[in-house]
Amino acid sequence: MALSPQWLDELRMRTTLSAMIGRTLRLTKAGREFKACCPFHNEKTPSFYVNDEKGFYHCFGCEAHGDAIRWMTDQRGMPFMDAVKELAAEAGMEVPAPDPRAAQQAEKRASLHDVTGAAQEWFEDKLRGSDGMQARSYLGRRGFTDAIIREFGFGYAPEDRQALKRALARFDEPMLIEAGMRITVEGKEPYDRFRGRLMLPIHDTRGRVIAFGGRILDSEANPNAPKYLNSPDTPLFDKGRTLYNLHRAAPAARQSGRLIVVEGYMDAIALANAGIKEAVAPLGTALTENQIELLWRQVEQPILCFDGDNAGQRAAMRAVARALPMLRPAHSLSIVRMPAGLDPDDLIREKGVTALEELLGQPSSLLDTLWDFEKAASPLNSPEDKAGFKARLLDHVENIQHPDIRALYKRELLERFSTFAFPPRPQREFRPRSDWKKGQFKQPAPTLSANARDRLTRAMTGGARDALTRAVIAGLVKFPDQILRHEEALSDLARRDQNVGPALDSLVEAAETLDLSARSTISLERGLPAPPEKTSFAFLHEGTDPVDAREDLAEAVSLLVERPALEAALSAATARFERDPEGSIAEQARLRERLLALNERLKRFGRKKAAADGESDS
């Protein structure tokens, strides 16, 4: 029976794979995909994924992979044509009439693995012949040994648009197209996908050739051609689920305890040529969630080693952003920054493999990379800039799904931000002779002027404009060691808001009477009201851990200060519209976006308050 690739594609397109598989397997939604425990092998943790968009299922444990037809034949044990007929009936399609000659040909039809395997043998043969001289010269300039050339299966695809078809004449044209070896264009004769390129086979985890990558050799003759070209997605090959060289690197990683991720397959081969066997590479895309899971199946903390240029650093940050929601105990990523302008191959050729090993031995953590990237993302000259930096860090933290890891990231990043934004001042000396008794230093009791005490009393009992302001002032009275830490922000707020300005000035005055290293407090016995017994703000609760309370208080101060600062900046940008319309509009848009982000943070903080309040009531 003649079933064209186009007809089979239509059948697959009309079949919702998750609905079909879901009849016999319990599927759980996982982002854009569905997951389940694999039906092809015993497992306790789901590693079987179904992707309706691409029409494939895949198991990371046993490498089971296929489409709707493959599911019917492999899982339900149906003959191919029976599976096709059942799917066609459900899709409302008519199966083409049988053709005895086509049926006879189908029985002799080889698998797609046979197509890619035969193509690989032909490419290798062409590299060794007269056609491959330019490719061999390129490999020699790269310094690749004969052993590496043989191990990685380098080949050559000649310029002739029909050369591969002639060489693989035993395979039908539709199979060559389905395997990604040929390109079909409506109204024209199909032609070879890879031409005039140095060829590299791409393998699955079992070492079978499933696709190819090709590097152009004469870019001047083909200025519009891409430097690297990979096979398209096929029934054998899904680039988002494949890591180049994993079948070789995985055994090496089990020996060394590390797995290195580089940007391209030529980098992975360069490392192998230098004796570092445990390197893999994504295939022309940013590192995907599926590829991160593949890495974690080998080692708990793979090392990303991307180029030292801006593009390489952006690629590393994209991988960090992909990994954050997936983080789980003991599983993370490490990142190595290459010297500017160098990739791993360049570094090895210029300074030797020892220089690369030194970098690999001291990778940055995911958290360090996140901090450094966002810190360098924009200037940090003004309070608004610093507040934006903090907001970006917290936005990343919110993406972490694991609650313990999210809490630990938040604490660490907030502590770093506080140290950066509010560096400690030189410690004041409180050592008058009258306070020394028998060699022991006597701490002077902190005092407040009557005016300062009155201002704070009014602010804490309702004079401030809202509950957040009153709570912040009460929190700073409770933890005065935080006052000077936030002095710059509080002073800026005092200038902008005359309602709370005097009270904030009094806080700074009070802090300057204390030995903050001794955790002195502003005495509540000297006429100041105590914080309210019932409050929704966790940093005022007596039972809150002091470290957590100070972190929450810092967040509250940030929220309190940012809005008037952004509003003032927006007013200034609006005022300069007449003399700089374009710049004014752009600045207004940027500031409004930051105000929207601030409102979202205020909402989240409010929800957190409400949750804490509900727990205390229960």
Side-chain angles (χ1 to χ4, degrees):
M1 183 173 293
L3 299 176
S4 70
Q6 293 79 11
W7 189 90
L8 290 172
D9 285 343
E10 178 71 16
L11 177 62
R12 296 182 185 105
M13 186 181 70
R14 292 195 188 187
T15 302
T16 302
L17 189 59
S18 62
M20 186 188 73
I21 293 177
R23 296 171 193 161
T24 55
L25 190 65
R26 183 182 179 87
L27 298 177
T28 303
K29 187 71 173 172
R32 296 182 180 179
E33 300 180 313
F34 296 86
K35 66 179 179 180
C37 288
C38 180
F40 298 105
H41 78 290
N42 293 325
E43 64 174 4
K44 296 181 180 179
T45 302
S47 62
F48 179 84
Y49 287 80
V50 180
N51 189 313
D52 283 330
E53 183 180 338
K54 295 184 177 180
F56 292 122
Y57 62 83
H58 184 85
C59 175
F60 289 98
C62 68
E63 297 297 323
H65 182 91
D67 56 13
I69 301 171
R70 186 71 175 268
W71 172 263
M72 302 286 275
T73 59
D74 286 8
Q75 203 276 332
R76 294 182 55 184
M78 298 176 67
F80 176 82
M81 282 309 305
D82 290 348
V84 168
K85 290 176 181 177
E86 182 171 324
L87 291 172
E90 293 181 359
M93 295 176 64
E94 184 176 342
V95 179
D99 180 340
R101 287 175 300 176
Q104 187 177 14
Q105 291 173 357
E107 290 177 1
K108 298 178 181 179
R109 193 180 191 192
S111 73
L112 294 185
H113 282 118
D114 293 327
V115 174
T116 52
Q120 169 60 16
E121 291 178 3
W122 184 72
F123 288 142
E124 287 186 281
D125 183 63
K126 284 297 175 183
L127 178 67
R128 292 189 291 266
S130 57
D131 289 340
M133 183 178 301
Q134 185 181 7
R136 293 196 302 272
S137 175
Y138 170 80
L139 292 171
R141 292 195 302 273
R142 291 293 296 257
F144 292 142
T145 66
D146 289 341
I148 286 293
I149 293 172
R150 288 192 302 270
E151 180 182 356
F152 283 85
F154 279 104
Y156 176 69
E159 288 282 0
D160 189 336
R161 293 166 65 92
Q162 305 299 330
L164 181 99
K165 180 183 179 180
R166 291 194 299 270
L168 303 186
R170 65 185 183 276
F171 299 108
D172 295 337
E173 181 82 89
M175 287 197 73
L176 296 175
I177 294 171
E178 191 174 16
M181 305 308 304
R182 300 266 289 169
I183 295 176
T184 179
V185 179
E186 187 175 356
K188 296 182 180 180
E189 182 182 9
Y191 57 91
D192 295 350
R193 180 178 300 275
F194 299 101
R195 305 179 310 281
R197 291 180 179 270
L198 178 72
M199 296 300 295
L200 268 173
I202 299 167
H203 301 80
D204 62 15
T205 55
R206 294 167 59 180
R208 298 175 298 182
V209 177
I210 57 173
F212 292 91
R215 189 195 190 283
I216 199 164
L217 290 171
D218 191 351
S219 57
E220 294 182 1
N222 301 280
N224 297 321
K227 183 177 180 181
Y228 289 97
L229 179 67
N230 290 332
S231 293
D233 281 359
T234 71
L236 297 182
F237 175 56
D238 182 344
K239 59 179 174 289
R241 298 182 182 274
T242 305
L243 284 167
Y244 177 75
N245 198 43
L246 183 60
H247 70 296
R248 298 185 192 92
R254 286 191 285 273
Q255 294 293 322
S256 67
R258 71 179 182 183
L259 190 62
I260 303 160
V261 184
V262 291
E263 284 198 63
Y265 34 67
M266 296 302 284
D267 291 321
I269 299 169
L271 264 63
N273 195 53
I276 301 175
K277 305 293 186 181
E278 60 274 26
V280 299
L283 291 154
T285 62
L287 205 61
T288 66
E289 290 89 345
N290 292 317
Q291 289 169 333
I292 292 171
E293 287 289 355
L294 278 176
L295 294 169
W296 281 345
R297 288 180 182 277
Q298 311 304 321
V299 298
E300 292 182 342
Q301 200 163 89
I303 302 171
L304 307 189
C305 184
F306 288 162
D307 294 354
D309 56 14
N310 290 334
Q313 295 311 307
R314 288 194 299 271
M317 194 57 200
R318 285 195 297 271
V320 168
R322 284 276 173 85
L324 283 172
M326 304 171 62
L327 294 179
R328 54 181 183 261
H331 290 76
S332 187
L333 301 175
S334 295
I335 294 90
V336 164
R337 289 192 173 191
M338 300 297 300
L342 296 181
D343 61 25
D345 189 21
D346 296 329
L347 183 64
I348 291 172
R349 282 189 276 116
E350 289 186 14
K351 298 184 178 181
V353 69
T354 303
L356 179 60
E357 285 285 9
E358 288 177 358
L359 288 176
L360 294 173
Q362 297 179 325
S364 299
S365 69
L366 191 152
L367 187 145
D368 287 338
T369 301
L370 180 63
W371 169 268
D372 291 339
F373 182 88
E374 291 297 355
K375 186 178 178 183
S378 62
L380 298 174
N381 301 322
S382 68
E384 294 87 350
D385 293 336
K386 294 174 184 176
F389 172 38
K390 181 180 179 183
R392 294 194 301 272
L393 293 174
L394 292 176
D395 285 342
H396 285 299
V397 170
E398 289 299 317
N399 290 327
I400 300 174
Q401 299 299 308
H402 193 283
D404 291 340
I405 297 176
R406 183 170 61 247
L408 290 166
Y409 263 66
K410 183 174 182 180
R411 172 175 289 192
E412 174 69 20
L413 290 171
L414 284 176
E415 287 179 355
R416 290 192 187 193
F417 179 80
S418 296
T419 302
F420 161 73
F422 310 104
R425 299 189 173 216
Q427 186 172 330
R428 294 175 173 82
E429 293 289 336
F430 301 95
R431 299 169 58 87
R433 286 184 179 273
S434 59
D435 291 330
W436 287 89
K437 289 187 178 181
K438 297 181 180 179
Q440 298 296 319
F441 177 65
K442 178 183 177 183
Q443 169 67 34
T447 59
L448 289 175
S449 68
N451 285 339
R453 185 170 60 249
D454 290 343
R455 292 168 186 165
L456 287 173
T457 300
R458 284 197 300 272
M460 294 171 65
T461 55
R465 63 180 180 177
D466 55 38
L468 179 61
T469 305
R470 293 194 297 273
V472 165
I473 291 174
L476 292 170
V477 166
K478 184 177 181 181
F479 300 107
D481 59 315
Q482 301 298 292
I483 296 173
L484 295 182
R485 168 184 168 185
H486 299 296
E487 180 180 2
E488 182 180 351
L490 294 172
S491 298
D492 186 63
L493 178 61
R495 288 193 299 271
R496 299 179 190 280
D497 190 338
Q498 296 302 314
N499 291 326
V500 296
L504 296 176
D505 290 339
S506 298
L507 282 173
V508 175
E509 175 190 328
E512 291 177 346
T513 71
L514 304 177
D515 178 5
L516 299 180
S517 65
R519 297 291 194 198
S520 299
T521 61
I522 298 175
S523 174
L524 300 178
E525 298 175 358
R526 294 179 172 270
L528 289 178
E533 292 184 4
K534 286 192 174 182
T535 177
S536 298
F537 294 91
F539 56 82
L540 295 180
H541 293 166
E542 286 301 324
T544 301
D545 177 82
V547 175
D548 292 337
R550 286 173 169 83
E551 287 182 6
D552 279 352
L553 176 58
E555 175 75 357
V557 171
S558 175
L559 291 170
L560 182 65
V561 170
E562 281 183 57
R563 175 176 285 281
L566 288 174
E567 289 172 344
L570 182 59
S571 296
T574 305
R576 71 169 191 267
F577 176 78
E578 291 187 0
R579 65 178 185 274
D580 180 20
E582 184 176 348
S584 172
I585 291 173
E587 181 69 2
Q588 288 181 59
R590 185 181 72 87
L591 291 168
R592 287 194 179 98
E593 183 177 346
R594 290 176 63 173
L595 273 170
L596 286 173
L598 176 64
N599 287 334
E600 285 301 313
R601 288 176 57 205
L602 279 165
K603 289 178 183 177
R604 288 200 298 268
F605 194 73
R607 286 195 294 269
K608 184 170 68 174
K609 285 198 308 105
D613 194 31
E615 290 175 5
S616 63
D617 290 343
S618 61

